[in-house]
């Protein structure tokens, strides 16, 4: 990340990476809970800590993006967006869908 004057700021970069890792751990915990109660979550998402894996693996990032979109579509079609929203609980991130 660069500062406003265009210089690289490693401390800002480290803080951003730390935040991304924390959010990924929260989403992995949320996903683990969803897998136990929603077979779509278990079926659609890759096994294991999918969000944490996506931080360091481009293929995992692609898979998690496809899975998140597919899960959102499935929950929207089922009228269960509450389950989709639970994937993001505790992250502070804006939800991709609000419906």
């Amino acid at each position: 990340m660069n500062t406003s004057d265009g210089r690289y700021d490693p401390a800002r970069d480290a803080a951003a990476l730390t935040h991304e890792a924390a959010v990924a751990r929260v989403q992995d915990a949320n996903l683990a809970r969803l897998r136990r109660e929603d077979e779509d979550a278990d079926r659609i998402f890759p096994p294991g800590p999918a969000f944490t894996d996506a931080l360091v693996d481009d293929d995992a990032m692609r898979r998690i993006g496809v899975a998140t979109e597919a899960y959102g579509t499935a929950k929207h079609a089922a009228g269960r967006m509450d389950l989709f929203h639970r994937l993001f609980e505790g992250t502070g991130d804006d939800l991709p869908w609000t419906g």
Side-chain angles (χ1 to χ4, degrees):
M1 255 182 210
N2 293 330
T3 62
S4 60
D5 63 359
R7 293 187 358 221
Y8 176 69
D9 183 353
R12 185 182 285 175
D13 208 20
L17 291 172
T18 300
H19 174 74
E20 288 176 21
V23 167
R25 285 190 301 274
V26 168
Q27 285 185 283
D28 281 333
N30 292 345
L31 178 56
R33 284 188 292 278
L34 282 170
R35 287 183 199 276
R36 290 191 294 269
E37 62 183 88
D38 182 14
E39 65 184 37
D40 283 339
D42 196 38
R43 178 180 54 80
I44 292 172
F45 283 96
F51 288 93
T52 300
D53 289 349
L55 292 173
V56 295
D57 181 329
D58 289 339
D59 288 333
M61 177 63 83
R62 182 191 55 75
R63 287 190 302 272
I64 200 67
V66 169
T68 301
E69 185 174 341
Y71 187 65
T73 299
K75 296 301 98 181
H76 187 268
R80 292 299 313 268
M81 288 303 285
D82 60 301
L83 292 174
F84 179 77
H85 290 168
R86 285 174 37 200
L87 190 57
F88 300 92
E89 283 181 352
T91 65
D93 286 349
D94 293 330
L95 296 175
W97 285 297
T98 58

